[in-house]
């Protein structure tokens, strides 16, 4: 496998003035687990990535309005905080953005920059900073396509992380519903296409599929295997087999914790080619038995 010259792995993140986060400067490793008491800012740290996702998709104004306005994003409100700042260090590239409140309780982009460090990839030359937005703007000016400029590299990186949450295990949860076998580009953030991804892994990635199944058995020893049979239209209803019974079960027959663990095992043990550069999992321990948490 050839080594990537540049990738979207975040090495460091700085956040100031955002929700309950007054100021943070955090180095990140390949795996980061954030643990703390209720109300210390864990969820707001995750929501910072959701916020950045809205920026890169040029949906800042709608997202701010639907979330209750700028005051809900500024640390202790606009009377206490006059700007929000983010800096994401991708090693070779660095993205920085500063946002300020407007009189109509919206947020405006004051400045957006991208930095390129050629020394990180053994290129000759000095560091280069490029203004992506250098005047007050309602939306980001990050490019969506081009010739791989600094801004486009950053745009690709910011688009290639996913925030996963497997909280919904109710009767109407999408993970329990029929899905089409062609919906298999990447695991959806709520695992709505879990059956399609497992079907693909079962057919073409035997090692990873077996690893997923064997890991599930550590938590659910009664579990034998998935039954993934598409109908004539290519749709699959996710089902599974019990090791001691010939009856076929649906995901409705799984406990909430077991179903969440299946989603987590599939996400973390899937073939590398399907993984985003950065994965954020919101409350992965939710509803899991202590033994399942230790396996996780």
């Amino acid at each position: 496998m050839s080594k990537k010259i540049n990738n979207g792995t975040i090495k460091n993140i700085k956040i100031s003035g955002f929700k309950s986060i007054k100021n943070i400067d955090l180095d990140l490793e390949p795996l980061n687990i954030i643990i703390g008491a209720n109300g210390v800012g864990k969820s707001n740290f995750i929501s910072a990535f959701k916020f950045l996702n809205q920026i890169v998709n040029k949906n800042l104004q709608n997202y701010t309005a639907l979330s209750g306005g700028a005051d809900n994003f500024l640390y202790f409100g606009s009377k206490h905080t006059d700007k929000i700042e983010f800096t994401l260090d991708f090693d070779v590239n660095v993205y920085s953005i500063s946002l300020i409140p407007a009189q109509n309780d919206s947020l405006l982009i004051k400045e957006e920059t991208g930095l390129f460090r050629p020394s990180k990839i053994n290129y000759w030359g000095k560091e280069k900073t490029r203004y992506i937005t250098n005047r007050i703007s309602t939306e980001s000016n990050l490019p969506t396509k081009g010739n791989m400029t600094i801004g486009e590299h950053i745009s690709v990186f910011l688009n290639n992380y996913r925030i996963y949450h497997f909280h919904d295990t109710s009767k109407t949860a999408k993970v329990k519903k029929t899905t089409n076998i062609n919906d298999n580009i990447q695991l959806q953030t709520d695992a709505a296409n879990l059956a399609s991804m497992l079907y693909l892994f079962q057919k073409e990635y035997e090692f990873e599929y077996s690893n997923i199944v064997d890991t599930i058995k550590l938590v659910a020893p009664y579990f034998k295997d998935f039954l993934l049979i598409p109908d004539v239209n290519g749709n699959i209803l996710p089902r599974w087999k019990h090791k001691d019974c010939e009856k076929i079960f649906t995901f409705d027959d799984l406990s909430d914790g077991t179903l969440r663990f299946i989603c987590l095992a599939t996400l973390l043990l899937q073939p590398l080619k399907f993984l985003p550069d950065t994965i954020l999992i919101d409350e992965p321990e939710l509803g899991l038995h202590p033994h399942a948490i230790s396996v996780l």
Side-chain angles (χ1 to χ4, degrees):
M1 181 184 295
S2 61
K3 184 180 178 181
K4 285 185 179 180
I5 290 179
N6 201 354
N7 64 65
T9 303
I10 301 171
K11 303 294 185 181
N12 175 277
I13 183 168
K14 297 180 178 68
I15 304 172
S16 66
F18 180 75
K19 293 194 172 182
S20 65
I21 302 172
K22 181 180 181 180
N23 191 39
I24 188 172
D25 183 343
L26 184 65
D27 289 329
L28 297 176
E29 301 296 332
L31 176 64
N32 305 275
I33 300 174
I34 300 174
I35 299 172
N38 293 336
V40 298
K42 302 186 302 295
S43 295
N44 286 336
F45 179 74
I46 295 291
S47 71
F49 290 88
K50 297 179 182 177
F51 184 76
L52 287 164
N53 182 259
Q54 298 300 318
I55 289 174
V56 73
N57 285 292
K58 305 184 189 305
N59 193 42
L60 173 63
Q61 298 308 312
N62 284 337
Y63 185 67
T64 304
L66 291 173
S67 301
D71 248 31
N72 282 344
F73 289 103
L74 290 153
Y75 178 74
F76 287 163
S78 57
K79 291 183 178 180
H80 188 276
T81 302
D82 60 3
K83 63 182 175 180
I84 298 171
E85 293 183 314
F86 297 95
T87 299
L88 278 70
D89 187 340
F90 298 102
D91 198 30
V92 179
N93 295 107
V94 179
Y95 172 69
S96 297
I97 185 169
S98 175
L99 304 104
I100 57 174
Q103 288 186 348
N104 62 353
D105 202 27
S106 66
L107 284 169
L108 300 174
I109 297 173
K110 181 181 179 182
E111 186 176 275
E112 231 180 338
T113 61
L115 170 68
F116 172 57
R117 297 172 174 147
S119 62
K120 295 288 185 177
I121 49 175
N122 298 319
Y123 277 21
W124 180 86
K126 297 180 179 180
E127 292 187 353
K128 299 177 182 177
T129 299
R130 293 288 183 268
Y131 280 101
I132 298 167
T133 301
N134 60 0
R135 62 176 65 91
I136 301 297
S137 177
T138 57
E139 297 291 348
S140 170
N141 286 312
L142 279 166
T144 55
K145 59 182 179 179
N147 59 355
M148 297 313 289
T149 61
I150 296 172
E152 194 189 10
H153 273 296
I154 290 169
S155 183
V156 170
F157 298 158
L158 289 173
N159 269 306
N160 198 26
Y161 65 75
R162 294 290 181 272
I163 303 169
Y164 289 91
H165 53 89
F166 305 129
H167 299 175
D168 186 7
T169 53
S170 66
K171 290 286 185 182
T172 60
K174 292 180 180 179
V175 67
K176 297 182 178 182
K177 303 300 181 181
T178 298
T179 183
N180 190 271
I181 59 172
N182 294 317
D183 186 3
N184 59 11
I185 302 301
Q186 195 171 63
L187 183 66
Q188 293 182 20
T189 56
D190 59 356
N193 64 337
L194 178 65
S196 299
M197 300 303 297
L198 287 169
Y199 177 76
L200 175 64
F201 302 158
Q202 187 183 64
K203 296 296 181 185
E204 300 184 18
Y205 300 90
E206 182 179 348
F207 173 80
E208 288 84 355
Y209 178 80
S210 296
N211 198 14
I212 291 168
V213 170
D214 290 344
T215 302
I216 293 167
K217 290 177 181 178
L218 295 175
V219 170
Y222 53 83
F223 180 86
K224 182 178 181 181
D225 200 355
F226 295 102
L227 185 67
L228 304 164
I229 303 175
D231 62 21
V232 294
N233 296 314
N235 297 318
I236 306 176
L237 177 67
R239 296 182 294 170
W240 60 281
K241 295 180 284 187
H242 196 291
K243 73 178 184 67
D244 297 323
C245 177
E246 294 183 359
K247 180 182 176 181
I248 304 302
F249 296 90
T250 67
F251 278 11
D252 277 325
D253 299 304
L254 293 167
S255 71
D256 292 350
T258 301
L259 180 52
R260 290 188 183 110
F261 187 85
I262 288 172
C263 296
L264 289 162
T266 303
L267 170 64
L268 298 173
L269 298 174
Q270 65 182 311
L272 290 175
K273 68 173 290 185
F274 296 95
L275 286 169
D277 283 332
T278 299
I279 294 172
L280 298 105
I281 309 174
D282 193 9
E283 295 186 301
E285 79 287 1
L286 183 67
L288 296 189
H289 186 274
H291 173 64
I293 293 175
S294 68
V295 173
L296 173 66

